[in-house]
Amino acid sequence: MDIGGTLTKLVYFEPTDSNTDEESKTETLKNIRRYLTKNSAYGSSGTRDSHLQMNNVHIRDRIGTLHFIRFPTSEMENFLELAKSKGMATMASTVCATGGGAYKFENQFLQVDA
């Protein structure tokens, strides 16, 4: 995630190869994956740039698709509420962020699962 002064950019890796762990994934994870990959708009200002999508990407021992999502940084509070409502906060213990907003919004990220 790159949190800039105007725009926040998020990259989501969707594994597409078969993995025995995939079969046992929770319903929450399935819902998150479906929401992120089947929509092109999120709320009133979030957009998935499908023309930037990268298929058959190798990351570590997995093959998958990279999805690129962006939204105005001014909508960070709405993004965090959406992440919480979709269960994303319970599925990730670490969020990697860069940009000036990474520091600016650190406390809000830490409070999402609270």
Side-chain angles (χ1 to χ4, degrees), residues 27-64:
E27 196 62 34
T28 300
L29 182 56
K30 290 178 187 177
N31 289 336
I32 292 168
R33 180 178 289 179
R34 192 170 25 254
Y35 179 76
L36 290 176
T37 61
K38 303 303 179 202
N39 290 299
S40 58
Y42 311 93
S44 62
S45 59
T47 303
R48 181 167 53 90
D49 293 316
S50 56
H51 65 284
L52 298 175
Q53 180 174 308
M54 298 174 68
N55 300 316
N56 298 314
V57 174
H58 294 255
I59 297 181
R60 296 191 179 154
D61 294 330
R62 302 299 307 266
I63 299 171

Side-chain angles (χ1 to χ4, degrees), residues 62-106:
R62 302 299 307 266
I63 299 171
T65 302
L66 289 176
H67 299 274
F68 298 86
I69 299 168
R70 61 184 161 84
F71 60 92
T73 302
S74 61
E75 297 292 324
M76 184 61 70
E77 188 173 322
N78 290 332
F79 167 75
L80 293 173
E81 283 301 315
L82 177 68
K84 191 173 186 175
S85 72
K86 296 291 181 188
M88 295 176 201
T90 62
M91 300 303 296
S93 60
T94 303
V95 174
C96 299
T98 187
Y103 176 76
K104 179 179 179 180
F105 293 103
E106 178 182 14

